[in-house]
Amino acid sequence: MNSFTEENYLKAIFKLLEKGEKAVSTTALSARMTTKAATVTDMIKRLAEKKLINYEKYQGVTLTEKGKAIAISIIRKHRLWEVFLVEKLHFKWDEVHEMAEQLEHVKSEELVNRIDAFLNFPKFDPHGDPIPDAKGVFNRKKSVLLAEINTGQNCIMTGVVDHSVNFLQYLDKVGLSIGKEIKLIEVVGFDKSIQVQLNGKEKVFLSHEVAKNLLVNKQ
Amino acid sequence: MNSFTEENYLKAIFKLLEKGEKAVSTTALSARMTTKAATVTDMIKRLAEKKLINYEKYQGVTLTEKGKAIAISIIRKHRLWEVFLVEKLHFKWDEVHEMAEQLEHVKSEELVNRIDAFLNFPKFDPHGDPIPDAKGVFNRKKSVLLAEINTGQNCIMTGVVDHSVNFLQYLDKVGLSIGKEIKLIEVVGFDKSIQVQLNGKEKVFLSHEVAKNLLVNKQ
DNA sequence: ACAAATATTTAGATTAGTCTAAATATTTAG
DNA sequence: CTAAATATTTAGACTAATCTAAATATTTGT
């Protein structure tokens, strides 16, 4: 079994690799982990020993398949717990990170899969980040706020920022729900309200306030 | 902050003290923690240093108020998580211990209190053990052994003494579970086995050994 | 009561994860 | 292209939690 620290290093390496570099430097990792470079060198030697990362002196590291699978499973647990904390325990989306950092290390595949089912297999966490499935497969695109996309862009609604009953009821009324296709027709400069087309059919107007609270995935 | 290990020692000391002794010996603790006596001596020195336990060489240990409060908070978390796992994720009551052992160390008072509310403030865990409230007060309504009640008495099952997988699986099979109504029909003098009626319906025979391991609240 | 048995502590070692300081390798700028 | 700047690794040390072996204290049985 791997320690919390090892799991955290693997997660950090995964996230840094996701940014595009082909290998992660000791310095980048030490910044991410808020430890010293010497500490990172020690740790990556141990992870390489365990065949969780590929490491050559002075050349940075990459994940092996085994290491990558562990990193993804930690990310899956982190994001599912975040959904649980927000949806079921009504925490705000910006309060859950620290708790999820601890919960992600609870060791039980069965537990995380049951949480997944309990939450009805969510695809995105409350921050709009995609949740890998039980096989480690996930949609790599992060969701963005509807208020931040360009005219003409086609999207799929993936979540909300504001979880208030009022807001959810409003969405229901205008016909917006998770999975709905949304195309941005135009932005009105005056108040930044927008006109969108739903499922290639009805067009509706949404205030900037509403657009700031809707998460979408660009298509 | 205290480490997982420190929290586990405090919990173990609390449980051993509950058994009635006025101090916990190094040997008792080493058996409970499955570590060596020498390891326990090191650890209790550290806990005494932190003023979480009272310790005098060769005299065993007791908990300070501070240590007791921590132990109770760990027990509260453990039992609430067990209720969550059984009630919400539909685990069987004999599958949840290991997961709860990990979850009990997640640090957030707010989290455990919200879980408590989410579960509607349960008073007993799935094994029938009482759950301390947010102030550390146990519901002291002490359940009694089924073996100790009188013929004709109506009870509600609240827990078990023996937590072995074997015993819990046996109970499952005969249809006994927390909350079940049990009426004592008769005691057979020969071997002290008993006949009980469940929920005013089916009657079943239980050995004295089983009756000695079932906790009930008289109605 | 006192020797044998048992319990407890001390001493010295190990591993994971961290640090600082020094050594070495790589990258970059003139 | 080489010297300076930067990045990385090595060496040596520290703490928490554990161990074994040895020393010491307490308890028990005749």
Side-chain angles (χ1 to χ4, degrees):
Chain A
M1 233 343 76
N2 307 295
S3 68
F4 285 20
T5 309
E6 286 170 337
E7 290 183 349
N8 285 333
Y9 270 89
L10 292 173
K11 188 176 60 158
I13 294 166
F14 181 89
K15 292 196 170 188
L16 290 168
L17 284 171
E18 255 193 338
K19 289 206 203 298
E21 298 298 311
K22 52 202 157 313
V24 174
S25 71
T26 303
T27 310
L29 210 35
S30 76
R32 181 105 190 180
M33 302 297 297
T34 48
T35 58
K36 300 294 165 173
T39 305
V40 170
T41 301
D42 283 347
M43 177 54 87
I44 63 188
K45 279 180 188 168
R46 245 175 294 147
L47 292 173
E49 188 68 35
K50 286 185 155 197
K51 305 248 191 271
L52 298 173
I53 62 175
N54 306 114
Y55 167 55
E56 272 186 278
K57 269 192 186 184
Y58 298 102
Q59 305 308 301
V61 300
T62 58
L63 291 170
T64 63
E65 281 309 306
K66 210 169 135 201
K68 188 175 164 187
I70 293 168
I72 289 174
S73 116
I74 301 300
I75 289 166
R76 168 171 160 80
K77 287 191 271 183
H78 183 102
R79 293 180 183 171
L80 282 171
W81 278 114
E82 284 200 342
V83 175
F84 170 75
L85 295 170
V86 169
E87 298 277 312
K88 302 294 181 180
L89 303 189
H90 312 299
F91 281 101
K92 302 210 187 75
W93 66 286
D94 55 342
E95 297 175 325
V96 297
H97 185 75
E98 197 40 58
M99 287 175 269
E101 282 290 299
Q102 298 178 62
L103 290 163
E104 72 187 7
H105 300 294
V106 173
K107 270 137 190 108
S108 168
E109 280 312 299
E110 184 63 14
L111 173 57
V112 67
N113 292 339
R114 292 217 188 180
I115 289 276
D116 196 11
F118 183 59
L119 299 170
N120 209 20
F121 307 102
K123 297 282 176 288
F124 295 90
D125 76 10
H127 304 281
D129 293 309
I131 300 173
D133 70 18
K135 294 189 159 54
V137 178
F138 66 140
N139 176 347
R140 275 166 187 287
K141 281 170 289 189
K142 179 180 163 82
S143 299
V144 295
L145 298 181
L146 179 57
E148 285 165 6
I149 67 167
N150 298 321
T151 309
Q153 176 73 60
N154 223 322
C155 322
I156 299 287
M157 175 170 159
T158 58
V160 293
V161 177
D162 177 358
H163 285 80
S164 71
V165 173
N166 262 358
F167 186 58
L168 298 180
Q169 281 173 348
Y170 167 80
L171 294 181
D172 222 35
K173 208 161 61 190
V174 299
L176 275 166
S177 57
I178 303 277
K180 196 73 99 178
E181 196 183 292
I182 302 176
K183 184 176 182 178
L184 182 49
I185 307 295
E186 71 161 322
V187 180
V188 180
F190 172 62
D191 62 356
K192 296 198 258 172
S193 68
I194 61 177
Q195 191 185 24
V196 298
Q197 185 173 35
L198 305 183
N199 285 46
K201 292 183 295 216
E202 338 86 85
K203 292 180 182 175
V204 298
F205 281 98
L206 301 173
S207 70
H208 182 60
E209 190 57 27
V210 167
K212 273 196 312 187
N213 281 290
L214 279 179
L215 284 164
V216 297
N217 221 197
K218 292 182 194 170
Q219 292 301 286
Chain B
M1 236 340 78
N2 307 296
S3 69
F4 284 20
T5 309
E6 287 171 335
E7 290 183 348
N8 284 334
Y9 271 87
L10 293 174
K11 187 175 58 156
I13 294 166
F14 182 88
K15 291 194 170 188
L16 290 168
L17 284 172
E18 256 193 338
K19 289 206 203 298
E21 299 297 312
K22 50 202 159 314
V24 174
S25 71
T26 303
T27 310
L29 211 36
S30 76
R32 180 106 191 180
M33 302 299 295
T34 49
T35 58
K36 301 294 168 173
T39 307
V40 171
T41 301
D42 283 349
M43 178 54 87
I44 63 189
K45 279 180 188 168
R46 245 176 294 144
L47 293 174
E49 189 68 37
K50 284 184 156 198
K51 305 247 191 272
L52 298 174
I53 62 176
N54 306 115
Y55 167 56
E56 271 186 278
K57 267 193 186 184
Y58 298 101
Q59 305 307 301
V61 300
T62 58
L63 291 170
T64 62
E65 281 308 307
K66 210 169 136 200
K68 189 174 165 189
I70 293 168
I72 289 174
S73 116
I74 301 301
I75 289 167
R76 169 172 159 80
K77 287 191 272 183
H78 182 102
R79 294 181 181 170
L80 283 171
W81 278 114
E82 285 201 343
V83 175
F84 170 75
L85 294 170
V86 169
E87 299 276 311
K88 301 296 181 180
L89 302 190
H90 312 300
F91 279 103
K92 302 212 187 74
W93 60 346
D94 55 336
E95 298 175 325
V96 298
H97 185 75
E98 198 39 58
M99 286 176 270
E101 283 289 299
Q102 297 178 61
L103 289 163
E104 72 187 8
H105 300 293
V106 173
K107 270 138 191 107
S108 168
E109 281 311 300
E110 183 65 13
L111 173 57
V112 68
N113 291 339
R114 291 216 188 180
I115 288 277
D116 198 12
F118 183 59
L119 299 170
N120 209 19
F121 307 101
K123 297 283 175 289
F124 295 93
D125 75 9
H127 305 281
D129 295 309
I131 300 174
D133 70 16
K135 293 188 159 54
V137 179
F138 274 94
N139 180 339
R140 288 287 177 191
K141 258 182 291 172
K142 196 55 193 167
S143 301
V144 296
L145 298 181
L146 179 56
E148 286 164 5
I149 67 166
N150 299 321
T151 310
Q153 176 72 60
N154 224 323
C155 320
I156 297 290
M157 176 171 161
T158 57
V160 294
V161 177
D162 177 358
H163 288 199
S164 74
V165 172
N166 263 356
F167 186 59
L168 299 182
Q169 281 173 349
Y170 166 79
L171 294 181
D172 235 27
K173 208 161 60 189
V174 298
L176 276 166
S177 57
I178 304 286
K180 197 74 94 175
E181 197 182 292
I182 302 177
K183 185 175 180 178
L184 182 50
I185 307 296
E186 71 162 321
V187 180
V188 179
F190 173 61
D191 63 355
K192 295 197 257 174
S193 70
I194 62 177
Q195 190 187 22
V196 300
Q197 186 174 33
L198 306 183
N199 285 50
K201 291 183 296 219
E202 338 86 85
K203 292 178 181 177
V204 298
F205 282 97
L206 301 173
S207 71
H208 183 60
E209 190 57 29
V210 167
K212 274 195 312 187
N213 281 291
L214 280 179
L215 285 163
V216 295
N217 262 168
K218 292 182 194 170
Q219 291 303 286

